[in-house]
Amino acid sequence: MHQQQEEHRSDRSMNLDSLFVVMQASGFAIACLAAMLGLTMRGRFHANRYLVAFFALIAASELSAITETVFGTDTPIVRDAFRAFSFTVTTAIGPALLFHVCVLTTREPWTPNRRTLAPHLMLTVATAFVCVAFLFLPEIDRTSAFRWSALAELPPISGLVGRGLAIMELLIYVQWMILSFVLVRCLAFHLRELKNHHATSEVTEMRWIGALTLPLGGYAALCLASQFLVMFGRQNPLNAIFDSLLVVIILLVVALWSLRPADTAASRPPQEVRLAAEVKYVKSALDGDRAAQIARKLDAAMRHDRLYREAGLSLGDLSRHVGVVPNYVSQTLNERLGLSFFDYLNSWRIDEALDLVDRGDQTILSIAYEVGFNSRSSFYTAFKARTGTTPTARRRMAGDLSPVSSSRFG
């Protein structure tokens, strides 16, 4: 009976080890495929170069587990060299993702300079230094250097290197928590810019950044908490398989969303990026009379030409139509009308949509497309923000009542 229990435990352990290897291999395969896809996307290499680096670094970080499976304990120096390499490149994954987001969200074509790179690569340099020292340790000490529980039993030099590795691991999790905060700030800034320059943000607002931020921050906090528990002699609550599964899920989110075809600021021609960047109007020569004249031109472009019906309308498009430079149009909208470009366009769209919804002779989706929205979800969001109800609910009400239209077209 006892022998059967032992065999059952052994089989279960082997199954879990196999599952762990499968998860690690899956992460490696996804990262390699995503990196190759990023390299082959025509016209987007400039925008994707840091994203390709992000996926390549993740693939490199998975090499440690794969080589341990392949080589086992037969060649410990090879195993430990890959472990040190994977541990070092892990510290550069976060900066690569941040640089990619900076490329997509900044106004001008963005390239990191020496001052930008230095603070982000300090952890990588420090980790590389500790990992080189790790490789010079005796083989028996290298086996224990990555285990918190064994550090106290190591000789002084080996123990110092082991504690250095442990500190680097904690700093990696702190790095990712800080990165999550920075990504939120980048996203908030990007959405503000979109509202000033684009009629719709459904395609260009890069929702994947927001979808990624919470899992990243939560994952880093969970890993940090588990490491502190191990430091104080408690059992690590974060199962290795669960840990690998989280990595695969996060990796899939980034790959599927960031590499999908999209019309982002980074993928537009440079002249369009520069045009969208003309937002600041410090000490502008625009006076009240001129602003009123521009406001009338904008009103005519919306009321008579119904320019808002163009789903891809940008600030530059509207400026060319009314014959006014973009920064004057932006200033008029913000200072005279109290609206961003995004909100101004949507106000006209919802005004026309109100009449069409009340008439009831078109589907909700066809109304959304007709007035300039490029998806049902963005139409519903804007409609509810304006009216406090959904188009469907308003149409049901219109069946019983005859509401007085609040539209400019009513």
Side-chain angles (χ1 to χ4, degrees):
M1 184 70 178
H2 179 71
Q3 184 178 359
Q4 289 179 344
Q5 290 177 344
E6 288 296 325
E7 290 177 354
H8 178 71
R9 290 196 196 96
S10 176
D11 291 340
R12 185 171 181 272
S13 176
M14 289 179 63
N15 290 335
L16 290 176
D17 289 343
S18 299
L19 182 58
F20 175 70
V21 172
V22 168
M23 297 304 301
Q24 295 285 328
S26 299
F28 178 78
I30 293 170
C32 288
L33 288 173
M36 288 188 289
L37 180 60
L39 285 172
T40 57
M41 296 183 75
R42 292 184 178 181
R44 291 182 59 184
F45 178 75
H46 178 80
N48 285 343
R49 63 193 188 279
Y50 297 111
L51 186 63
V52 170
F54 169 78
F55 289 124
L57 289 167
I58 289 183
S61 71
E62 300 290 350
L63 285 174
S64 173
I66 295 174
T67 52
E68 282 192 38
T69 304
V70 174
F71 292 102
T73 58
D74 296 334
T75 52
I77 187 61
V78 174
R79 177 201 64 196
D80 293 337
F82 273 102
R83 180 182 291 183
F85 173 73
S86 296
F87 189 66
T88 302
V89 299
T90 301
T91 62
I93 295 174
L97 179 61
L98 177 61
F99 293 165
H100 174 65
V101 173
C102 287
V103 168
L104 297 182
T105 57
T106 50
R107 298 175 188 166
E108 298 292 342
W110 186 88
T111 301
N113 52 35
R114 198 174 289 179
R115 291 180 61 183
T116 306
L117 286 171
H120 293 291
L121 297 183
M122 286 176 59
L123 181 58
T124 303
V125 173
T127 304
F129 178 80
V130 176
C131 284
V132 169
F134 161 77
L135 293 176
F136 282 96
L137 297 180
E139 179 186 330
I140 190 171
D141 292 348
R142 291 201 307 269
T143 304
S144 305
F146 276 95
R147 298 205 310 266
W148 278 95
S149 58
L151 294 181
E153 302 172 3
L154 292 174
I157 299 298
S158 299
L160 181 63
V161 173
R163 288 179 178 83
L165 291 170
I167 291 171
M168 293 301 110
E169 184 174 4
L170 294 177
L171 289 177
I172 290 173
Y173 300 138
V174 173
Q175 177 195 51
W176 277 98
M177 292 173 68
I178 295 173
L179 176 70
S180 299
F181 173 74
V182 175
L183 288 177
V184 170
R185 290 192 60 185
C186 286
L187 180 61
F189 173 79
H190 185 62
L191 292 179
R192 284 198 302 270
E193 290 299 291
L194 287 173
K195 284 195 171 186
N196 281 324
H197 300 294
H198 295 277
T200 176
S201 62
E202 193 66 27
V203 176
T204 57
E205 69 184 28
M206 297 181 303
R207 293 181 185 273
W208 67 271
I209 301 178
L212 177 67
T213 299
L214 185 59
L216 274 181
Y219 172 69
L222 186 62
C223 290
L224 186 63
S226 66
Q227 288 302 313
F228 274 113
L229 288 175
V230 174
M231 285 174 59
F232 291 102
R234 303 293 181 86
Q235 186 177 359
N236 188 346
L238 191 58
N239 183 275
I241 296 176
F242 176 69
D243 177 56
S244 300
L245 179 61
L246 283 178
V247 172
V248 170
I249 291 173
I250 292 173
L251 192 56
L252 278 172
V253 170
V254 180
L256 292 175
W257 281 88
S258 62
L259 292 176
R260 76 195 191 283
D263 177 28
T264 61
S267 65
R268 277 182 244 125
Q271 63 270 24
E272 288 295 323
V273 176
R274 287 195 296 272
L275 184 61
E278 297 178 21
V279 64
K280 295 298 180 182
Y281 27 79
V282 180
K283 294 184 178 180
S284 170
L286 185 64
D287 56 25
D289 292 339
R290 176 65 171 151
Q293 182 185 17
I294 294 173
R296 289 193 294 271
K297 287 186 175 183
L298 296 175
D299 186 271
M302 298 298 116
R303 188 182 304 277
H304 303 301
D305 301 333
R306 301 200 174 188
L307 212 62
Y308 58 85
R309 288 185 170 187
E310 297 181 16
L313 187 71
S314 69
L315 180 64
D317 297 331
L318 178 59
S319 300
R320 285 188 288 270
H321 185 86
V322 299
V324 179
V325 293
N327 57 324
Y328 278 9
V329 173
S330 181
Q331 185 175 356
T332 300
L333 292 174
N334 282 268
E335 295 184 353
R336 187 172 184 86
L337 303 181
L339 295 170
S340 68
F341 176 69
F342 178 86
D343 293 330
Y344 180 69
L345 265 293
N346 279 354
S347 70
W348 282 94
R349 289 169 174 169
I350 297 302
D351 273 341
E352 183 177 5
L354 286 169
D355 285 338
L356 298 177
V357 169
D358 290 343
R359 290 176 193 169
D361 53 2
Q362 291 180 253
T363 66
I364 298 298
L365 186 59
S366 66
I367 292 172
Y369 288 142
E370 181 174 337
V371 300
F373 290 97
N374 62 2
S375 75
R376 182 186 180 95
S377 62
S378 59
F379 175 54
Y380 266 67
T381 300
F383 195 96
K384 190 169 184 179
R386 167 71 178 274
T387 65
T389 187
T390 65
T392 304
R394 182 180 176 93
R395 174 163 286 180
R396 282 199 299 265
M397 292 170 56
D400 302 323
L401 304 173
S402 298
V404 178
S405 175
S406 57
S407 162
R408 295 180 176 101
F409 306 96

